[in-house]
């Protein structure tokens, strides 16, 4: 065994992440879009339709896609943005629900001249992605759900009985929300990213082996903590009918899930993928809730293969 419980030679875990992260930061320049006086921060690379929209999870920012976005930009336009109230984007005037966030993303796509699109959502961002697909099925061509099989988590909102039956699941949810909402000073985030012991204590709910990953990407990933939108998103998450949305999605859906994810467990991922008319599941071995960080190359390849070349019918309107 290696440090912090990781087996030696952990099958390429985190391999090349630091290099891909530096390349991604060089290629992705944050830009602000202003809609009705509200700022939306985004980055983009590549050209071609259908575009690919990348959505982050709770207490995250567009930076979670730093190593993946450039890899998807061969033959397509890729846009990663901060959801309302997260990162550099201003909050919504009303409640931050998945449908409300989906409307904001669609408005941003309109302003950016994006027509047909595929959308990739991680965790909470997957709820937003599915809300987009159900609201605008004529525009959303394909959906990728990464660590977003939150059926068990959302059950906790439905009844106290679920909380009693699944206390560990409830504790994990509370821990994630409290950690994400805590306005940690920059120096503390620096220390978390720097020291392996602190990484293990704080990032174990999200990563299989936090101590094996490069500190620079992890520090970027921590930029999203402490925003008020974290509590708002957590409070309203239970209002989203994930199973109902899955039944309504008409296009193909790829569910990508870490085989060690404790927030979106493989059993829920299997169940969710079976709810789609055209759903497919890919489990990422040796990954937890942040597979795009832990095994960025594999996740980028899975997404790119699923999106495939431009669809002739989409491009010609046939």
């Amino acid at each position: 065994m290696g440090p912090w419980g990781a087996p030696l030679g952990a099958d390429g875990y985190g391999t090349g992440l630091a290099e891909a992260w530096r390349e991604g930061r060089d290629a992705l320049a944050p830009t602000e879009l202003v809609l009705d006086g509200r700022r939306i921060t985004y980055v983009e690379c590549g050209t071609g339709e259908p575009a690919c929209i990348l959505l982050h999870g709770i207490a995250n920012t567009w930076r979670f896609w730093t190593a993946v976005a450039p890899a998807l930009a061969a033959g397509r336009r890729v846009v990663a943005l901060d959801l309302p109230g997260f990162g550099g984007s201003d909050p919504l005037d009303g409640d931050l629900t998945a449908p409300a966030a989906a409307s904001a993303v669609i408005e941003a796509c309109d302003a950016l001249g994006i027509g047909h699109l595929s959308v990739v959502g991680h965790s909470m961002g997957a709820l937003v992605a599915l809300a987009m697909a159900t609201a605008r099925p004529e525009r959303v061509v394909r959906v990728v759900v990464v660590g977003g099989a939150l059926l068990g988590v959302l059950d906790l909102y439905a009844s106290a009985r679920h909380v009693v039956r699944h206390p560990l699941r409830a504790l994990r949810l509370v821990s994630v929300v409290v950690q994400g909402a805590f306005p940690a000073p920059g120096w503390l985030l620096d220390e978390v990213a720097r020291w392996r012991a602190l990484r293990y204590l704080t990032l174990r709910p999200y990563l299989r082996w936090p101590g094996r990953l490069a500190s620079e990407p992890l520090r970027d990933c921590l930029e999203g903590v402490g925003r008020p939108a974290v509590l708002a998103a957590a409070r309203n998450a239970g209002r989203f009918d994930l199973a109902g949305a899955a039944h309504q999605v008409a296009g193909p859906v790829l569910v990508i899930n870490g085989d060690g994810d404790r927030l979106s467990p493989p059993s829920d991922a299997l169940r969710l993928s079976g709810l789609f008319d055209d759903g497919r599941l890919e489990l990422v071995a040796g990954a937890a809730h942040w597979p795009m960080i832990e095994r960025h190359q594999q996740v980028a390849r899975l997404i790119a293969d699923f999106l495939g070349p431009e669809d002739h019918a989409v491009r010609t309107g046939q």
Side-chain angles (χ1 to χ4, degrees), residues 206-262:
Y206 319 105
L207 299 167
R208 193 70 172 267
W209 298 303
R212 295 183 67 89
L213 296 173
S215 61
E216 185 179 19
L218 293 183
R219 179 60 182 86
D220 274 0
C221 289
L222 295 173
E223 280 296 315
V225 304
R227 293 300 303 269
V230 173
L231 290 177
R235 183 174 61 250
N236 292 311
R239 297 165 60 180
F240 187 72
D241 182 3
L242 176 55
H247 284 300
Q248 295 178 50
V249 176
V253 180
L254 172 64
V255 178
I256 298 175
N257 216 84
D259 68 350
D261 194 334
R262 290 179 290 178

Side-chain angles (χ1 to χ4, degrees), residues 112-137:
L112 293 172
I114 295 172
H116 292 99
L117 58 94
S118 295
V119 58
V120 181
H122 171 243
S123 195
M124 176 198 73
L127 308 186
V128 179
L130 293 172
M132 291 173 62
T134 57
R136 300 303 299 270

